[in-house]
Amino acid sequence: MSATLAILTIGVVPVKEILPLLTEHVSEEQITHISLLGKMDPDDVRREYAVEAGEHAIATRLFDESLGMVSREKVERDLQSVIEVLDNQGYDVILLMSTADVRGFVARNAILLEPQRIIPPLVASIVDGHQVGVIVPIPELMAQQQTKWQGLKNEPYYALAHPYQATEEELIAAGKTLIDRGADVLMLDCLGFHQLHRDLLQKALDVPVLLSNVLVARLASELLV
C-alpha cells in the first residue's frame, strides 16, 4: 500500500498548486490537507490567537483572505496537538507547509517535514556563495525573512511584491531591482507564490528562481513510495 501524506498549514494556502508534485507516487485520495486557522471565522482567530505580552507575532492568510497577525506561541502549541493526532492516525509523512518562523515539533512515528528547519540550509547548499535576492510579499515579513536567511554566505537583497496583488509587470520589476543590485539567484519564499510566478521571472529575467514550496514538496514526494 502506498504511503499517506497529511499537509498541515496554519492559514489559507493554495495547496492545489503543489499537488501535481506530490501525486507522482500516490493518488490524491491518499493526501489530506488540514488547516489550523484557515476555516475559522477571522474574528475568532484574532480573538483566540491574539498576541499577548511576551509573545511573538506571525502573519497568516485568513478565511476572508485578510492578513492576520497571530501569536506564534499559540499557533505552535496547537500545531503540535494536530501533529500528535495525525501521528496517531497513522500518516506516514506530515508536511508542515508554512514559511512562518514556527518550529520544534515532534512526531513519534511519521516523518515530519518542517520547512523552517529544512529550507534555509538546503538553499544555502544550492546557491553556494551566489548572491540571493528574496522577493517578500508584505513589509510585515521583512524582519522574519532577514532572520531566516542570515545563514547564507552573502546577506540577501530584498524587494517587495505580493503574489496576489502585484501585476506581472510589478513582480518582474521587483526581480529586476534585485538583479540590478547584484543578485544572480532569486528566491520566492511565500506559499502564495507558485510555479507560474517562478516561470514568469525565469523567462523575463533569465536567472534561476527558487520556490520554497516546490523544494519541500519535491522532498516530500521522494518519501511517498
Side-chain angles (χ1 to χ4, degrees):
M1 184 175 179
S2 297
T4 53
L5 167 70
I7 300 174
L8 178 57
T9 63
I10 298 175
V12 175
V13 173
V15 169
K16 64 179 182 180
E17 301 292 347
I18 67 161
L19 281 179
L21 302 175
L22 298 169
T23 53
E24 295 176 1
H25 304 297
V26 299
S27 67
E28 191 170 333
E29 288 72 28
Q30 290 170 275
I31 300 174
T32 301
H33 173 212
I34 302 95
S35 177
L36 179 66
L37 309 178
K39 295 184 178 180
M40 287 180 62
D41 182 283
D43 291 335
D44 291 340
V45 172
R46 291 186 171 92
R47 181 177 62 256
E48 296 178 24
Y49 291 85
V51 182
E52 300 178 22
E55 296 180 339
H56 301 83
I58 57 174
T60 192
R61 189 177 176 215
L62 302 180
F63 182 72
D64 61 357
E65 299 191 359
S66 65
L67 182 70
M69 301 303 294
V70 297
S71 163
R72 185 185 75 191
E73 287 76 9
K74 293 185 177 76
V75 166
E76 288 178 335
R77 174 199 66 197
D78 292 350
L79 282 177
Q80 179 59 47
S81 296
V82 175
I83 289 170
E84 290 172 6
V85 171
L86 295 172
D87 202 16
N88 290 332
Q89 290 176 344
Y91 283 93
D92 298 292
V93 180
I94 301 173
L95 169 57
L96 176 60
M97 281 201 64
S98 173
T99 55
D101 185 19
V102 292
R103 65 182 78 199
F105 304 106
V106 176
R108 291 170 301 157
N109 302 306
I111 298 174
L112 176 62
L113 298 179
E114 299 174 86
Q116 193 70 13
R117 176 173 53 86
I118 296 170
I119 294 299
L122 176 60
V123 169
S125 67
I126 292 172
V127 300
D128 191 28
H130 286 271
Q131 180 62 56
V132 176
V134 182
I135 297 181
V136 183
I138 53 175
E140 291 86 345
L141 294 179
M142 192 65 76
Q144 173 191 314
Q145 284 288 308
Q146 291 171 338
T147 300
K148 183 171 187 174
W149 302 113
Q150 62 185 355
L152 294 179
K153 183 177 180 180
N154 301 317
E155 182 179 353
Y157 302 134
Y158 298 91
L160 290 169
H162 196 282
Y164 306 117
Q165 299 172 3
T167 64
E168 291 186 354
E169 290 75 17
E170 289 170 336
L171 179 60
I172 292 171
K176 188 175 186 305
T177 297
L178 294 170
I179 292 171
D180 289 344
R181 293 180 62 189
D184 54 5
V185 179
L186 298 183
M187 180 74 204
L188 299 177
D189 188 41
C190 167
L191 297 180
F193 289 120
H194 50 81
Q195 295 182 86
L196 290 177
H197 296 111
R198 181 196 62 188
D199 294 345
L200 173 70
L201 288 171
Q202 287 186 163
K203 182 178 180 180
L205 302 175
D206 194 28
V207 294
V209 180
L210 300 176
L211 192 58
S212 60
N213 55 2
V214 168
L215 291 175
V216 74
R218 291 199 179 281
L219 178 58
S221 71
E222 294 300 314
L223 300 171
L224 299 176
V225 294

